[in-house]
Amino acid sequence: MVRHPAALRRLLAAGGLALAAAGGPAGAIEGGMPAGPRDAVARATVALGTVNQSGDDIQVTRCSGVLIGRDLVLTAAHCVGENPLGAVAVFYRGSRPVGPVYRAAAVSRFAVDRDAAEAGDLGINLAALSLDIAVVRLAKPVPDRAPVPVTRGPRRLPGRLLIAGVGLSGGKPGTLKTARLTPLAVTESGLTFARAEGALVCVGDSGGPVVTAGGARLWGVASAVITSDPPCGSLVVIAPAARR
């Protein structure tokens, strides 16, 4: 059940009902603000590169993620794919990437069928998108970065959220940016729809952390954008972190 169904139907109609997964090689958040070196959320955000095998094909997915434990990175499930062969995470100092590179030791994901994303009376399979969460366990703990705590309380729709995302292109980490989000609706499963203010969320920002005011708690991770002009859009779909 959607707690604000009329508002959600209006925003979906305005977005053209085009669902774009925000993974793959592309630019960063358009607009927004470059991350600062002392920004706690930015310091916990990573560029995540995953190698997948699909039949005889090898594919590389480039996304964002967030540190939730000394050796745990939360991201979107579609970022790690069906059969991940390996993954690496890169942290940032301000808006720029810095070493070392952290290798993944294991990946746990919830299956999401992207081909079935458009379904139901709202045009989107809300239950499937609410499972778009994966956890990457790093091969060693990160000594100098503080994890972002996951929200545990009731899922009341907050007045304001903040998203951080890493645009990736040419196989290299891009610029880490943040943008404010205005929440519009939340489902019973915790899936949240929000509008980016003065920014567009793009391909490569999937898995990026969405936090409550002041970066106090992790609300979820960017899963997709609803847009009539992909791959970027201002209507953001956020998979919940608290239920996983």
Side-chain angles (χ1 to χ4, degrees):
M1 179 183 295
V2 180
R3 297 179 191 173
H4 302 279
L8 182 54
R9 286 188 177 92
R10 288 195 296 271
L11 75 91
L12 289 174
L17 295 182
L19 192 69
I29 291 174
E30 291 187 7
M33 293 290 294
R38 297 184 180 179
D39 185 328
V41 176
R43 285 182 55 80
T45 301
V46 303
L48 186 69
T50 307
V51 178
N52 282 272
Q53 183 168 5
S54 178
D56 294 332
D57 296 331
I58 300 296
Q59 302 171 339
V60 177
T61 301
R62 304 176 179 94
C63 283
S64 304
V66 58
L67 194 69
I68 60 169
R70 288 297 180 184
D71 63 347
L72 298 177
V73 169
L74 191 71
T75 188
H78 72 265
C79 288
V80 299
E82 296 289 342
N83 186 25
L85 301 179
V88 294
V90 177
F91 286 87
Y92 279 68
R93 180 179 296 117
S95 61
R96 299 299 178 187
V98 294
V101 174
Y102 287 85
R103 182 178 58 83
V107 176
S108 299
R109 68 184 299 278
F110 292 87
V112 178
D113 185 357
R114 282 282 161 176
D115 292 336
E118 296 185 6
D121 63 343
L122 292 175
I124 290 177
N125 188 330
L126 302 180
L129 285 178
S130 68
L131 295 175
D132 194 15
I133 291 289
V135 176
V136 177
R137 182 178 294 278
L138 303 177
K140 61 181 180 180
V142 180
D144 58 348
R145 305 280 172 152
V148 177
V150 177
T151 183
R152 299 293 185 183
R155 301 201 65 83
R156 295 180 180 178
L157 199 62
R160 185 74 68 180
L161 293 168
L162 181 80
I163 184 173
V166 178
L168 304 176
S169 61
K172 297 180 180 179
T175 302
L176 173 58
K177 290 186 175 182
T178 63
R180 292 182 178 180
L181 302 177
T182 297
L184 301 173
V186 62
T187 70
E188 290 297 330
S189 64
L191 192 71
T192 303
F193 298 82
R195 185 184 304 278
E197 303 297 341
L200 296 175
V201 176
C202 298
V203 173
D205 295 322
S206 258
V210 176
V211 298
T212 56
R217 295 280 175 176
L218 181 67
W219 183 261
V221 297
S223 173
V225 293
I226 301 169
T227 178
S228 58
D229 187 22
C232 298
S234 61
L235 299 180
V236 186
V237 183
I238 304 162
R243 303 295 178 90
R244 306 297 160 230

